[in-house]
Amino acid sequence: MKLNIALLAGDGIGPEVIDQAVKVSDAVAQKFGHEINWQPALTGAAAIDAVGEPYPDETHEICANADAVLFGAIGHPRFDNDPSAKVRPEQGLLKMRQKLGLFANVRPTFTFPSLIDKSPLKRERIEGTDLVFLRELTGGIYFGERGRKDDGNTAFDTCTYTREEVQRLAKKGFELAMKRSKRLCCVDKANVLESSRLWRETVQAMEKDYPEVEVSYEFVDAVAMRLVQWPNDYDVLITENLFGDILTDEASVISGSMGLMPSASLGTKTSLFEPIHGSYPQAAGKDIANPLATVLSAAMMFDQFGLADEAEAIRTVVNKSLAEGVVTEDLSEGAKAYKTSEVGDWLAANI
Ligand code: IPM
Ligand code: MN
């Protein structure tokens, strides 16, 4: 297969972790007889510095015409501490999600047998956890009307959803549930929010089309608590944009490190694959960041192309690196810590 992949390294540790995902993907392509044409493009603070814009039109062209986008991370502290900044790197990510129509963000949470004891949660609670969040990604409070009034002394952000936006996300949830354990949890705050009541009503109306799927409805605050107490109660969870943002960071604790969690953003055409972690500016340029979340995102990319053996080859080698202690300092616990680039080299060599 010939694959054109847009490569958006972004900010902070983005370029370093992306390099490792490229090494590993190239090794997989070579082994299985594929050809990957990587097309680098600017995004984030790096793009603001170069062209004054975090998601330039030229980058969008490259992404829209690619078979997939592999993305590193976005964000820079010099913007975080400046609430008055007019352009921010994160706007690039949001614009990209919107312009590429990436409405469904798939964020799996699973444990690695060799890392169970690295989680701050008890082994018996988290062992066997295997759940997937489907986070709505192009609506809700992230994209609603916002502003200031009262001479700047009052601020507002609004959460808006249309029935159609809920339906297309929920459809992906039902379909995924059918392929898994046929359990679907709709996470909302329908006891308070009107937008949540629309979610619940819409999902309830879809239940008849998927009679085999057992649907539960839970409030987000309760899920936040139960998720870390009884993660095995969950399988597929669907939720709106902000709830999904928060719950998936929380869920990453189950696996032991945020540096391990991949994601896929699916839309109408091109899909995007990225780690759920941020740009980790303190580590940028030090060759110490954990590249596995990005490498596992590349595995999700191969899956999306229907290349299941290729994806499995990546997951297998990642498990092997964890089992053999070829890990970066976030996971090394006093033992030898490998550099980001060394982990990438090892994975590529062992594919
Ligand atoms: C994520 C990130 C982004 C989000 C930020 C960087 C805008 O936290 O992908 O989860 O909030 O969606
Ligand atoms: Mn987030």
Side-chain angles (χ1 to χ4, degrees):
M1 203 183 250
K2 268 197 162 152
L3 301 167
N4 280 316
I5 316 283
L7 196 61
L8 274 52
D11 305 321
I13 57 168
E16 297 159 56
V17 293
I18 277 282
D19 277 353
Q20 315 319 315
V22 167
K23 279 180 204 166
V24 177
S25 302
D26 280 339
V28 168
Q30 202 185 2
K31 178 170 169 150
F32 289 86
H34 306 297
E35 198 184 305
I36 305 181
N37 175 25
W38 299 103
Q39 298 175 295
L42 283 174
T43 186
I48 296 178
D49 292 340
V51 297
E53 235 256 80
Y55 185 60
D57 289 345
E58 198 179 300
T59 298
H60 179 63
E61 277 306 298
I62 292 174
C63 292
N65 293 311
D67 296 313
V69 182
L70 190 62
F71 184 86
I74 218 166
H76 194 285
R78 77 170 191 266
F79 298 92
D80 295 345
N81 301 325
D82 175 9
S84 67
K86 287 274 173 297
V87 267
R88 311 182 151 270
E90 289 80 2
Q91 287 163 349
L93 184 59
L94 300 184
K95 194 168 160 195
M96 176 168 71
R97 288 172 178 170
Q98 197 173 40
K99 286 186 81 169
L100 291 172
L102 303 171
F103 66 87
N105 186 211
V106 186
R107 295 189 163 184
T109 297
F110 43 84
T111 52
F112 298 87
S114 50
L115 293 184
I116 292 264
D117 296 317
K118 296 247 160 54
S119 171
L121 303 172
K122 290 198 183 85
R123 166 184 280 270
E124 61 267 28
R125 296 295 175 108
I126 59 172
E127 214 157 30
T129 298
D130 176 15
L131 54 89
V132 185
F133 277 94
L134 278 175
R135 167 189 174 193
E136 201 290 327
L137 204 59
T138 53
I141 203 165
Y142 275 65
F143 294 93
E145 205 187 314
R146 66 169 53 106
R148 294 275 180 119
K149 48 191 188 187
D150 183 23
D151 283 337
N153 293 311
T154 304
F156 61 95
D157 296 274
T158 39
C159 178
T160 307
Y161 271 106
T162 65
R163 194 178 301 278
E164 198 258 325
E165 284 174 321
V166 179
Q167 272 164 348
R168 64 183 182 179
L169 193 273
K171 182 165 182 278
K172 289 227 183 281
F174 277 107
E175 286 168 359
L176 188 61
M178 281 301 289
K179 288 194 212 138
R180 294 172 51 100
S181 77
K182 303 197 169 94
R183 281 180 299 142
L184 180 69
C185 178
C186 175
V187 183
D188 62 31
K189 187 72 187 171
N191 50 347
V192 178
L193 303 177
E194 196 55 39
S195 54
S196 284
R197 288 194 273 272
L198 178 70
W199 269 75
R200 207 172 263 221
E201 166 189 317
T202 306
V203 176
Q204 276 169 349
M206 293 171 77
E207 280 187 39
K208 63 174 182 336
D209 301 327
Y210 304 89
E212 287 173 59
V213 177
E214 184 195 319
V215 188
S216 62
Y217 298 86
E218 287 186 40
F219 299 140
V220 62
D221 46 354
V223 174
M225 180 186 66
R226 285 181 12 92
L227 184 62
V228 283
Q229 261 187 320
W230 308 109
N232 277 301
D233 283 359
Y234 296 104
D235 187 27
V236 179
L237 301 99
I238 53 173
T239 193
E240 65 92 49
N241 203 342
L242 183 61
F243 297 162
D245 179 47
I246 298 168
L247 290 177
T248 54
D249 267 29
E250 186 193 356
S252 76
V253 175
I254 297 169
S255 72
S257 168
M258 200 152 168
L260 293 167
M261 298 282 84
S263 88
S265 299
L266 313 177
T268 35
K269 208 178 145 261
T270 316
S271 303
L272 178 140
F273 301 85
E274 61 169 316
I276 81 160
H277 62 67
S279 60
Y280 191 15
Q282 304 86 330
K286 294 190 181 154
D287 205 15
I288 57 170
N290 188 340
L292 295 184
T294 315
V295 170
L296 291 169
S297 299
M300 291 183 86
M301 177 176 82
F302 282 104
D303 262 334
Q304 181 69 15
F305 291 132
L307 303 174
D309 291 343
E310 287 79 343
E312 205 42 44
I314 296 182
R315 291 190 189 108
T316 303
V317 80
V318 164
N319 274 319
K320 195 167 170 221
S321 75
L322 293 171
E324 296 187 16
V326 184
V327 294
T328 41
E329 63 178 34
D330 53 314
L331 296 175
S332 64
E333 279 193 334
K336 173 180 158 65
Y338 286 73
K339 295 284 178 195
T340 309
S341 55
E342 290 172 338
V343 173
D345 290 340
W346 191 93
L347 294 171
N350 282 276
I351 279 287

PDB file of all heavy atoms in Angstrom, residues 251-265:
ATOM      1  N   ALA A 251      -8.576   8.944  33.126  1.00  0.00           N
ATOM      2  CA  ALA A 251      -8.462   7.516  32.805  1.00  0.00           C
ATOM      3  C   ALA A 251      -7.015   7.103  32.543  1.00  0.00           C
ATOM      4  O   ALA A 251      -6.644   5.949  32.756  1.00  0.00           O
ATOM      5  CB  ALA A 251      -9.330   7.181  31.590  1.00  0.00           C
ATOM      6  N   SER A 252      -6.182   8.061  32.112  1.00  0.00           N
ATOM      7  CA  SER A 252      -4.796   7.684  31.793  1.00  0.00           C
ATOM      8  C   SER A 252      -4.036   7.225  33.041  1.00  0.00           C
ATOM      9  O   SER A 252      -3.046   6.508  32.942  1.00  0.00           O
ATOM     10  CB  SER A 252      -4.069   8.840  31.112  1.00  0.00           C
ATOM     11  OG  SER A 252      -3.716   9.835  32.051  1.00  0.00           O
ATOM     12  N   VAL A 253      -4.528   7.612  34.198  1.00  0.00           N
ATOM     13  CA  VAL A 253      -3.884   7.189  35.453  1.00  0.00           C
ATOM     14  C   VAL A 253      -3.962   5.664  35.603  1.00  0.00           C
ATOM     15  O   VAL A 253      -3.079   5.033  36.181  1.00  0.00           O
ATOM     16  CB  VAL A 253      -4.572   7.875  36.656  1.00  0.00           C
ATOM     17  CG1 VAL A 253      -4.023   7.370  37.973  1.00  0.00           C
ATOM     18  CG2 VAL A 253      -4.400   9.377  36.561  1.00  0.00           C
ATOM     19  N   ILE A 254      -5.033   5.080  35.060  1.00  0.00           N
ATOM     20  CA  ILE A 254      -5.219   3.636  35.164  1.00  0.00           C
ATOM     21  C   ILE A 254      -4.069   2.893  34.490  1.00  0.00           C
ATOM     22  O   ILE A 254      -3.590   1.878  34.977  1.00  0.00           O
ATOM     23  CB  ILE A 254      -6.579   3.228  34.536  1.00  0.00           C
ATOM     24  CG1 ILE A 254      -7.716   3.877  35.331  1.00  0.00           C
ATOM     25  CG2 ILE A 254      -6.724   1.712  34.479  1.00  0.00           C
ATOM     26  CD1 ILE A 254      -9.078   3.772  34.652  1.00  0.00           C
ATOM     27  N   SER A 255      -3.599   3.433  33.381  1.00  0.00           N
ATOM     28  CA  SER A 255      -2.562   2.714  32.628  1.00  0.00           C
ATOM     29  C   SER A 255      -1.168   2.945  33.198  1.00  0.00           C
ATOM     30  O   SER A 255      -0.224   2.277  32.815  1.00  0.00           O
ATOM     31  CB  SER A 255      -2.597   3.142  31.172  1.00  0.00           C
ATOM     32  OG  SER A 255      -2.094   4.444  31.068  1.00  0.00           O
ATOM     33  N   GLY A 256      -1.032   3.920  34.074  1.00  0.00           N
ATOM     34  CA  GLY A 256       0.259   4.112  34.725  1.00  0.00           C
ATOM     35  C   GLY A 256       1.018   5.335  34.255  1.00  0.00           C
ATOM     36  O   GLY A 256       1.830   5.870  34.982  1.00  0.00           O
ATOM     37  N   SER A 257       0.807   5.783  33.032  1.00  0.00           N
ATOM     38  CA  SER A 257       1.479   6.992  32.568  1.00  0.00           C
ATOM     39  C   SER A 257       0.714   7.595  31.411  1.00  0.00           C
ATOM     40  O   SER A 257       0.231   6.888  30.529  1.00  0.00           O
ATOM     41  CB  SER A 257       2.902   6.669  32.102  1.00  0.00           C
ATOM     42  OG  SER A 257       3.448   7.770  31.403  1.00  0.00           O
ATOM     43  N   MET A 258       0.621   8.905  31.435  1.00  0.00           N
ATOM     44  CA  MET A 258      -0.037   9.601  30.338  1.00  0.00           C
ATOM     45  C   MET A 258       0.769   9.445  29.054  1.00  0.00           C
ATOM     46  O   MET A 258       0.268   9.608  27.954  1.00  0.00           O
ATOM     47  CB  MET A 258      -0.143  11.081  30.697  1.00  0.00           C
ATOM     48  CG  MET A 258      -1.173  11.772  29.902  1.00  0.00           C
ATOM     49  SD  MET A 258      -1.809  13.130  30.848  1.00  0.00           S
ATOM     50  CE  MET A 258      -2.706  13.946  29.566  1.00  0.00           C
ATOM     51  N   GLY A 259       2.046   9.144  29.220  1.00  0.00           N
ATOM     52  CA  GLY A 259       2.928   8.957  28.061  1.00  0.00           C
ATOM     53  C   GLY A 259       2.644   7.689  27.277  1.00  0.00           C
ATOM     54  O   GLY A 259       3.386   7.339  26.363  1.00  0.00           O
ATOM     55  N   LEU A 260       1.573   6.991  27.644  1.00  0.00           N
ATOM     56  CA  LEU A 260       1.275   5.720  26.975  1.00  0.00           C
ATOM     57  C   LEU A 260      -0.015   5.736  26.166  1.00  0.00           C
ATOM     58  O   LEU A 260      -0.306   4.786  25.461  1.00  0.00           O
ATOM     59  CB  LEU A 260       1.138   4.627  28.043  1.00  0.00           C
ATOM     60  CG  LEU A 260       2.401   4.257  28.807  1.00  0.00           C
ATOM     61  CD1 LEU A 260       2.056   3.407  30.014  1.00  0.00           C
ATOM     62  CD2 LEU A 260       3.362   3.520  27.899  1.00  0.00           C
ATOM     63  N   MET A 261      -0.795   6.802  26.299  1.00  0.00           N
ATOM     64  CA  MET A 261      -2.153   6.740  25.772  1.00  0.00           C
ATOM     65  C   MET A 261      -2.303   7.369  24.386  1.00  0.00           C
ATOM     66  O   MET A 261      -2.128   8.566  24.209  1.00  0.00           O
ATOM     67  CB  MET A 261      -3.118   7.423  26.757  1.00  0.00           C
ATOM     68  CG  MET A 261      -3.172   6.749  28.114  1.00  0.00           C
ATOM     69  SD  MET A 261      -4.160   5.247  28.131  1.00  0.00           S
ATOM     70  CE  MET A 261      -3.198   3.976  27.606  1.00  0.00           C
ATOM     71  N   PRO A 262      -2.657   6.542  23.411  1.00  0.00           N
ATOM     72  CA  PRO A 262      -2.828   7.035  22.048  1.00  0.00           C
ATOM     73  C   PRO A 262      -4.255   7.508  21.790  1.00  0.00           C
ATOM     74  O   PRO A 262      -5.138   7.292  22.620  1.00  0.00           O
ATOM     75  CB  PRO A 262      -2.570   5.778  21.216  1.00  0.00           C
ATOM     76  CG  PRO A 262      -3.116   4.672  22.065  1.00  0.00           C
ATOM     77  CD  PRO A 262      -2.884   5.087  23.499  1.00  0.00           C
ATOM     78  N   SER A 263      -4.484   8.134  20.660  1.00  0.00           N
ATOM     79  CA  SER A 263      -5.860   8.442  20.277  1.00  0.00           C
ATOM     80  C   SER A 263      -5.989   8.572  18.769  1.00  0.00           C
ATOM     81  O   SER A 263      -5.002   8.769  18.065  1.00  0.00           O
ATOM     82  CB  SER A 263      -6.360   9.721  20.959  1.00  0.00           C
ATOM     83  OG  SER A 263      -6.044  10.872  20.214  1.00  0.00           O
ATOM     84  N   ALA A 264      -7.223   8.412  18.316  1.00  0.00           N
ATOM     85  CA  ALA A 264      -7.542   8.592  16.900  1.00  0.00           C
ATOM     86  C   ALA A 264      -8.703   9.561  16.813  1.00  0.00           C
ATOM     87  O   ALA A 264      -9.637   9.476  17.606  1.00  0.00           O
ATOM     88  CB  ALA A 264      -7.957   7.259  16.281  1.00  0.00           C
ATOM     89  N   SER A 265      -8.627  10.507  15.899  1.00  0.00           N
ATOM     90  CA  SER A 265      -9.757  11.398  15.673  1.00  0.00           C
ATOM     91  C   SER A 265     -10.310  11.116  14.292  1.00  0.00           C
ATOM     92  O   SER A 265      -9.606  11.271  13.296  1.00  0.00           O
ATOM     93  CB  SER A 265      -9.320  12.854  15.778  1.00  0.00           C
ATOM     94  OG  SER A 265      -8.818  13.100  17.070  1.00  0.00           O
TER      95      SER A 265
END
